[in-house]
Each structure stands twice: as structure tokens, then as C-alpha cells.
Amino acid sequence: DADPLITEVQDWASAFGDPVDATPYGMPIHYESHVVRRNVEWLTESPVSSINFTPIHALEGTITPQGCAFERHHSGAIELAKQDYRLMISGLVERPLVFTYEDLTRFPRTITTAFCECAANGGMEWGGAQLEGCQFTQGMIHNMEYTGVPLRLLLEEAGVKPEGKWVYAEGADASSNGRSMPLEKAMDDVLVAFFANGEALRKEHGYPVRLVVPGFEGNMWVKWLRRIGVYDRAVESREETSKYTDLMPDGRARKWTWVMDAKSVITSPSPQAPIRHGKGPLVITGLAWSGHGKVARVDVSLDGGVNWVEARLTGDVKSKALTRFHLDLDWDGSEMFLQSRAVDETGYVQPTKNQLREIRGLNNVYHNNGIQTWWVRADGEVENVEIA
Amino acid sequence: EPLGLGRAALPEEIAAWDVAVLPDGTGLPDGSGDVFTGDEVFAEKCASCHGDFAEGIDNWPVLAGGQGSLTNRRPVKTIGSYWPHLSTVWDYIHRSMPFGAAQTVTADETYAITAFLLYSNGIVEDDFELSQTNFKDIVLPNAEGFYPDDRPGTEYPHFSVAPCMQGCREPVKVTKRAVELKVTPTDPDGKPAGTLPDLRVGAAAGQAATEETAAETEQPDPEPAVEATAETAAADPALIEEGAKVFKKCQACHKVGEGAKNATGPALNGIVDGAAGSVEGFRYSKPMQAAAEGGLVWSHEALAEFLADPKGYMKGTKMSFAGLKKPEEIEAVIAYLASVGG
């Protein structure tokens, strides 16, 4: 039968739509209201010290819109006006300085696209498959284009003393969430950022100023950045001892595990993005990234890792940023065990979860970059499974 | 070449913000505190979340015990079992605790709480006094339990082998299915939350269905609505919705609504215009008990005053919350509590 959407004149083809300024700052059309951050309430005791997840199953390309980029707060997202903003550089420097927001805007700027991944992304999956959907299993990640001042320029303005070897960054919120990093990293590619995706940072991402630490775990990207202290050693704050350290099977723990290793996940099909169109042409799409540099290659398996084919890296591949991959398939309608495997420019190959468990045991929590398996059923529904 | 931007940080500004304490005690201010005092301060400022014996209430952190558990399937990471440096304990309490009222613990109180936590972990005796001078003598049991990231040596060589492409393993067998655990948030239809809509169902049909449901929920039977008008005339849905958002700040400790139970704080059903200190099974602070005996009722005005400055309104309350700064937030949260708490 002829499609009435075509043969009949539709309202939208006859009457007016919204005037300009209907929404001075636009929101996504209401048909997309399912594309939002979500949290898992049982994970934490309080929503002000908690995390939610980016709906990566519903996004394409590589840039994460700020409004649905995951949030992690240790004491809630604070409101700090540009006029009230101060950044102090203190410690082992020649000239301890205070900058206003306006001062920061007078330094030469740079632009960096980088992924920010929580060290605990996938942490609930250490013991086995738990959550249904990549939003929950891999969604503690976002990727934005930042504009800001290289931290190096601010440190040079203050003059780091020769004995200064570590930089400690802390936020203006009640948690302060201080983290130490080696001076070499601070002088390399760290950014004091005030724009993301072309506009001011959102409150939940550290407005007006946050640290961008490409390749390093998300909690080091201090939000509402208030102070940079230069020290001769690591401060070893709560967030770098009690938390964000990786307990190993012998009862000892790794500390300073800053870099996020290469990882990938198929975002569609996935449990929240089942195949509804049946067999025939199927686009498999996903994300890959590495804290060590560029993604060199992504392989996809349809049979749980027996055989692999190379996927297509779509668009520009940037260092320490999300990379989009696609595999265009003629699906025969039979069940699949979908996996993706990232290889980065250092030659590192994303391991299986069991390979990680053999080394790190089950109490590790952080840095789970193991291969994800999606069981695609013949009816197109998708499950999070682990396989032997 | 410096650009000459910014200005010199003044000594008193550096003193105010540069409060980090290093593992060797560098950065500690003068002061001291003993276990006995720490016990009292802890009971007042910390026990509502961490428990009287630092054992942790609900999912709040356990601060004592757990020694020898780090190789167990369920390790208990506490100051005594896991934390490597006492400086971290002192620093964190001093700058970030109590939760919701950071930077309200004095240096002496911080020494005292830290001394109490050492005692709770069996590291010092009950007559111990901690000070800036003897701080360095304390070595936590797990001080040697950490080593710098060794992945470059222990993992990267294993994971940097050219990967297999064909016939890499035996056919797979499913060993675990997340769906069996039923811990994923779901949409009303039982599917994982956020499952993409079915695009083969016409938008118009889908839209009509949604609007129908919305209409049903928004406009209940007209008759009871008329009846309720008098009572709920002041209930402003927008204000209540705003209050629900504000209440997120309270949710860490308080539950409200159907089936709400006591948590770190008492359940709040019936709190607006209800008698103070009257929720069964909750251990109120002494001042709150006294106020309850004195007949305090949480009228709109009383509640607003309390929420603006809990500790100012009632010295000694266990509620470790700094207060709501904005009057409109207070109004909203009271409207919300009145609407959901009955």
C-alpha cells in the first residue's frame, strides 16, 4: 500500500514550525529524550558522591555532547562564577601567583581533543558480566574538544624551582579531590581548560576551569581547579592512596596507575541497541581509545574471538582521543558473539578480561580494559555475557 | 619569558589554600588531640555515617578493622588495613570532612579524631595523644603495601604480541549472563534503561500512545481533584519538582516517601508540621531529644530556620549539613517534603 506519510500532505509540510528563538539555547528534540545520562543507584550511598554514565549506545561520531557526558563528583557539582574564580600556583616556585579567570584568558591558547575515562569504567564487571548495556559497562567516558592554556605556560610564569618534581592539583569543591602527577606530564600535554566543544564548560564538568590530562584516568582531571602546588614528591592524598589504587592478588597494591590502556567496545548492536530490522545489511559501530597515543587498528569478531576481521577507522584518528570504527556486514540472521579488540600505536593489544584477571585477580576494580562480548540472538536482542 | 600576568600570592592566601600534608608530616599545623577527646568529637561529627566504632553505617566507609583481609574475596580497606600514610587521614579529615560541612573541623579536633581512629584500629593505646611532634613516629600497618605502576614490565609485553586473526580459539560457551543478575536499571517495559525506540512503530502512533499516558497521569479523576483543591491549593508542582532536585543534597542521609526507612538520618515522612525527634527507631542527638520533649513542632517556619543553618539553629545536632543557602531552595524542599511525605 502507498505510504500515507508520502501520499497525504502532513501538518509539518503545510503549517509553520517553531519561530527562531523558540528556545534561545536549544535542547535535543523530544524524540531523543532517551539519550541521557543514567546512574545505577545501588552503586553509591549518596548522589553527591557518585557517578553516572554516558549513553554511548545512542551516540555516533567521536565528540560527546557536554549535556550527556558522564558526571563524577566527590562532593557535588558546585556553582563557581568566573568573577569569583581564583587559581593559585604555590609550592616550589620562584613566584607564587594568583590568577583570575580573566588572567587565564590572556595566555596563549591551544586546542586538544581528549577522552576522559573514569579509572573505574567497567569496574562492576571485574567479577563477571553484571550490567545490560554499554552505557553502564563502558559509559564512564566522554570525549570533548577543549580550549585552554597549557599548564606548562602557567608553571613557567611562576618559575618551577629545580627541586620541584611533582605537581599537585586540587579543586575548589568540598572534596578538593587532589591528585599528584609528575612534573614531566604537567609540562607536556596538560591543559587548563575553560571551553569544551566550543562553549563554556558545563557546571558538572568543572565550570569555569578544569584540568585536562590526556590519557590519564579521569579523577586527575580536577574540576573547579583552585590550586596547583609544586612539590619534590607526591602528596599521596586520599584519592591516590585509599582510592584509585589497584589491589593485586598478593594483597599489595599498585599506585600511580595513571594511564588508561587501549580499549574498545561495540556500541551498536548492544543490549540497549538491539537489531530490529532483521537480516541483511547491518552497520556495526563502536569506539576505541588509548591513553598511550593513537588507535592503530580495531578488529571485530562475530564468533567470540575465533576469527577476526579488521574494522574501518572512520574519520580522523587523534592521539588519546576517542576513535570511531565501523564494520559493514551482511548479517545472515544467525546468532553472533560480537567482540572488538583495539590495537594502539605502541603495539599494545586490548586483552581479554580473563587475561587481566590472571595477572590482577578479582579485587582490582580499576582499569578494566578487557574485551566485551555481546551475545546477539537470532531475534536481534543483545545480551552482555562472558564466555569460555 | 614571563608575561607578567597574575599577581603575587600573599602569605596569608597561601596559608589558607596550601593546606596539603605530605607523608612525612610536612604541612601539619601546630596542635594536638587525644583518643578520649577524639572519641567525643567523632561521636558528634562522624559517627552518623561512620558509626560509633568507625565500623561504617550502610555503605559509608568502614574506617577500622580489616587487617589481613586484603587477599580475601571481600577485602576491607580501612585506615588500619589499607591506607599507607597517616598524613592522608589527617589531611582528608581536615579539608573534606564531615561530608556536607567540609573545613569545619579544627586542627586540634583533627588530631583528636585521627588519634581515635588509630586507637580504633589497634595501633595506639587509649591514653595516646597525637601531636605535630609525634606524628612522624606513627607507621600505619600497610605502609609498605604499595608499589608504583609496573604494568609496563608485567603486562605490556604479554599484551603486545601480534594478535591471532583466524581459528584463534575453540567455539565459545556462555558462562555468565548479566541478564540473570537483574541489577541493571530498567525502563517501564522491563528492557534495559535507555533502550533505543523501535523505529518501525510509526512516530505518530508512538507519540499518541505517549500523550495518552501522559494525559492519564496528569489529569486524574476530576472529582477527587476538586475535593483536594482546598488542601493542596498552595502545592505548586513546579516548586515541588524544584524541591525534588534540591532534596538530592539530603538523600545521602534521608529517605522519604512510601516505605522510607531510617538511614544515617531519620525517614522524613510527615516531617512538615510533625513533632520533632519523633521518628521511631532513630537515635537522635541529645539536643534534638530535648527539643522534642519541649514540644518542638517542625512548622514551615521552624523547618526553614533549621534548614538554613542546622548547627546554628540547634547546637549539637547530628545533622552534619552546612545548610541551604538560598531561601528559594528551602521553600522548594519543604514543598517537596510536604508533597511526598504525607
Side-chain angles (χ1 to χ4, degrees):
Chain A
D1 287 356
D3 187 346
L5 283 166
I6 297 171
T7 56
E8 292 171 16
V9 175
Q10 302 295 317
D11 285 351
W12 58 77
S14 178
F16 290 130
D18 287 345
V20 297
D21 287 348
T23 49
Y25 192 104
M27 292 292 287
I29 192 166
H30 58 93
Y31 299 127
E32 297 295 311
S33 59
H34 54 285
V35 187
V36 291
R37 299 182 277 235
R38 289 185 176 78
N39 78 359
V40 175
E41 282 188 18
W42 53 263
L43 264 184
T44 53
E45 188 63 34
S46 156
V48 291
S49 178
S50 192
I51 192 154
N52 58 20
F53 303 85
T54 308
I56 53 173
H57 66 291
L59 301 176
E60 250 289 353
T62 57
I63 294 294
T64 315
Q66 287 203 68
C68 67
F70 86 97
E71 307 166 84
R72 167 69 166 120
H73 316 309
H74 293 80
S75 193
I78 58 165
E79 284 186 13
L80 177 54
K82 286 176 179 173
Q83 292 88 336
D84 296 338
Y85 180 77
R86 302 289 184 272
L87 173 62
M88 181 185 289
I89 312 248
S90 63
L92 297 170
V93 292
E94 303 292 345
R95 297 170 293 279
L97 293 173
V98 172
F99 298 114
T100 61
Y101 181 85
E102 190 181 52
D103 291 334
L104 294 181
T105 66
R106 298 173 68 191
F107 281 91
R109 285 172 217 173
T110 186
I111 297 177
T112 301
T113 301
F115 75 82
C116 174
E117 183 183 19
C118 179
N121 198 15
M124 290 87 76
E125 307 284 303
W126 259 114
Q130 277 220 71
L131 291 161
E132 285 281 273
C134 60
Q135 176 166 22
F136 306 109
T137 51
Q138 280 88 6
M140 295 181 191
I141 191 163
H142 58 62
N143 190 65
M144 303 190 199
E145 183 210 70
Y146 298 96
T147 303
V149 179
L151 178 56
R152 178 178 56 79
L153 296 183
L154 303 184
L155 288 167
E156 285 171 355
E157 190 74 15
V160 176
K161 291 181 174 173
E163 59 270 35
K165 299 292 179 213
W166 288 78
V167 155
Y168 181 69
E170 63 188 29
D173 63 315
S175 80
S176 94
N177 185 39
R179 287 297 314 254
S180 309
M181 73 181 79
L183 182 68
E184 302 86 75
K185 178 68 178 176
M187 299 297 272
D188 179 17
D189 57 0
V190 176
L191 204 63
V192 175
F194 32 86
F195 284 88
N197 299 343
E199 62 179 353
L201 289 161
R202 295 284 171 89
K203 171 170 77 173
E204 64 269 33
H205 298 305
Y207 179 94
V209 176
R210 87 171 304 169
L211 214 54
V212 167
V213 192
F216 279 24
E217 58 189 30
N219 65 86
M220 303 179 77
W221 296 44
V222 176
K223 297 190 285 193
W224 313 291
L225 183 67
R226 159 179 122 162
R227 190 176 73 94
I228 298 285
V230 179
Y231 294 88
D232 60 354
R233 75 205 97 153
V235 169
E236 308 220 39
S237 70
R238 178 197 188 243
E239 310 304 342
E240 47 201 5
T241 53
S242 152
K243 310 291 174 190
Y244 305 111
T245 47
D246 312 341
L247 189 54
M248 300 295 281
D250 66 356
R252 298 201 305 147
R254 287 175 176 161
K255 63 176 178 179
W256 303 343
T257 47
W258 303 306
V259 180
M260 303 307 295
D261 291 329
K263 183 169 171 180
S264 68
V265 64
I266 291 170
T267 53
S268 177
S270 63
Q272 299 156 291
I275 306 171
R276 294 209 174 91
H277 54 57
K279 63 184 183 180
L282 169 68
V283 172
I284 292 175
T285 182
L287 293 166
W289 61 95
S290 168
H292 287 285
K294 287 184 178 178
V295 170
R297 198 178 99 200
V298 178
D299 302 325
V300 170
S301 175
L302 311 181
D303 53 16
V306 181
N307 300 297
W308 297 85
V309 292
E310 198 173 328
R312 186 159 52 84
L313 302 187
T314 319
D316 295 339
V317 177
K318 293 178 179 161
S319 183
K320 304 175 190 175
L322 290 189
T323 298
R324 177 62 63 176
F325 67 86
H326 290 104
L327 182 71
D328 305 300
L329 193 71
D330 182 13
W331 183 41
D332 64 6
S334 59
E335 73 171 19
M336 296 185 281
F337 290 94
L338 287 182
Q339 294 185 333
S340 65
R341 177 176 74 187
V343 182
D344 74 15
E345 64 178 335
T346 71
Y348 177 98
V349 181
Q350 182 183 1
T352 63
K353 290 184 192 176
N354 281 334
Q355 279 179 298
L356 291 173
R357 288 173 188 142
E358 276 165 28
I359 296 172
R360 304 188 199 163
L362 290 178
N363 288 339
N364 213 253
V365 185
Y366 301 113
H367 292 275
N368 179 1
N369 65 322
I371 288 173
Q372 174 69 49
T373 308
W374 301 132
W375 185 12
V376 180
R377 317 299 290 267
D379 63 3
E381 294 295 322
V382 184
E383 281 186 33
N384 174 14
V385 295
E386 290 204 23
I387 55 172
Chain B
E1 199 54 24
L3 296 174
L5 292 170
R7 61 162 177 85
L10 303 176
E12 59 268 39
E13 292 173 335
I14 296 174
W17 273 11
D18 191 347
V19 293
V21 182
L22 300 180
D24 69 353
T26 303
L28 279 171
D30 287 337
S32 64
D34 60 24
V35 172
F36 182 77
T37 311
D39 191 355
E40 287 190 330
V41 182
F42 191 86
E44 187 203 329
K45 301 197 170 184
C46 320
S48 61
C49 292
H50 296 294
D52 288 339
F53 307 101
E55 76 279 14
I57 291 176
D58 299 331
N59 282 331
W60 296 105
V62 186
L63 304 181
Q67 274 99 326
S69 74
L70 296 182
T71 54
N72 297 356
R73 182 61 194 97
R74 302 247 172 257
V76 180
K77 296 178 179 177
T78 72
I79 289 159
S81 71
Y82 193 65
W83 293 39
H85 309 298
L86 192 60
S87 59
T88 315
V89 182
W90 201 99
D91 180 290
Y92 189 67
I93 294 168
H94 188 56
R95 73 162 79 210
S96 297
M97 289 286 113
F99 194 54
Q103 304 192 70
T104 59
V105 182
T106 66
D108 282 345
E109 286 174 335
T110 308
Y111 279 108
I113 295 169
T114 309
F116 171 71
L117 290 172
L118 287 170
Y119 169 72
S120 304
N121 277 287
I123 297 165
V124 299
E125 298 299 321
D126 61 1
D127 59 354
F128 179 73
E129 181 176 43
L130 183 68
S131 69
Q132 190 195 16
T133 336
N134 66 2
F135 198 91
K136 265 204 268 191
D137 305 338
I138 307 289
V139 177
L140 293 184
N142 197 39
E144 299 301 318
F146 294 80
Y147 56 95
D149 188 3
D150 66 348
R151 286 175 295 170
T154 55
E155 295 190 3
Y156 297 169
H158 294 291
F159 301 154
S160 299
V161 178
C164 169
M165 297 299 284
Q166 293 291 320
C168 305
R169 51 161 297 158
E170 297 299 307
V172 303
K173 214 172 59 197
V174 172
T175 54
K176 283 204 170 98
R177 297 172 63 188
V179 71
E180 286 170 356
L181 298 179
K182 297 188 168 44
V183 294
T184 305
T186 52
D187 282 337
D189 62 2
K191 295 217 156 68
T195 295
L196 300 185
D198 189 340
L199 298 182
R200 295 162 308 166
V201 179
Q207 186 72 1
T210 319
E211 272 164 17
E212 217 169 280
T213 329
E216 273 166 29
T217 35
E218 272 168 32
Q219 300 168 355
D221 235 37
E223 279 180 55
V226 174
E227 254 174 71
T229 308
E231 229 179 290
T232 57
D236 169 0
L239 190 66
I240 291 170
E241 200 185 318
E242 197 51 42
K245 284 185 204 153
V246 177
F247 190 71
K248 285 185 188 295
K249 295 184 184 179
C250 321
Q251 268 172 343
C253 301
H254 292 288
K255 314 290 174 218
V256 69
E258 205 182 316
K261 293 195 181 95
N262 291 336
T264 305
L268 295 180
N269 290 342
I271 189 76
V272 182
D273 293 326
S278 63
V279 176
E280 212 170 304
F282 186 77
R283 286 168 54 208
Y284 288 95
S285 64
K286 288 210 178 87
M288 188 65 84
Q289 285 172 30
E293 281 157 25
L296 174 66
V297 168
W298 286 125
S299 66
H300 192 112
E301 294 71 29
L303 206 49
E305 269 185 65
F306 179 61
L307 291 175
D309 181 11
K311 287 207 166 7
Y313 182 89
M314 186 172 290
K315 191 172 183 310
T317 176
K318 277 163 94 175
M319 188 158 103
S320 68
F321 181 65
L324 292 168
K325 300 280 169 283
K326 299 176 189 161
E328 57 271 28
E329 288 192 336
I330 294 175
E331 287 307 308
V333 87
I334 293 174
Y336 171 72
L337 288 172
S339 75
V340 293

